[in-house]
Amino acid sequence: MASAGIPIERPAKRRHRGLSDCREERHLASGKVTIDASGVENCRCRVCGCELRRMPALRRWFRSGMMG
């Protein structure tokens, strides 16, 4: 039971900082996601437009396609 006088500390939500996050490989997936026959999800980054891919067991988007 929490006391009324003690505030509960929660970590701040991390916000996407735009292109600097994309350079650090933290991309923001678009809403249009396609799933291929093997269950791999594909989409594009909302900020830089690169191709992203996510495996069924992983929770993180990875960059795919042409690098550079």
Side-chain angles (χ1 to χ4, degrees):
M1 183 155 127
S3 175
I6 300 173
I8 298 172
E9 292 185 28
R10 293 192 175 132
K13 288 187 178 180
R14 191 182 178 294
R15 297 192 177 175
H16 200 275
R17 295 183 315 221
L19 207 52
S20 63
D21 274 353
C22 291
R23 289 188 189 117
E24 296 171 10
E25 295 298 322
R26 287 190 293 260
H27 298 276
L28 186 62
S30 67
K32 183 180 179 184
V33 177
T34 58
I35 302 173
D36 62 11
S38 61
V40 177
E41 299 176 351
N42 300 294
C43 72
R44 291 201 171 266
C45 178
R46 290 183 185 180
V47 179
C48 64
C50 66
E51 296 176 15
L52 301 175
R53 181 171 283 178
R54 179 165 68 175
M55 305 298 278
L58 302 175
R59 296 176 59 186
R60 183 171 176 255
W61 289 98
F62 293 93
R63 193 170 172 190
S64 65
M66 294 294 292
M67 300 291 181

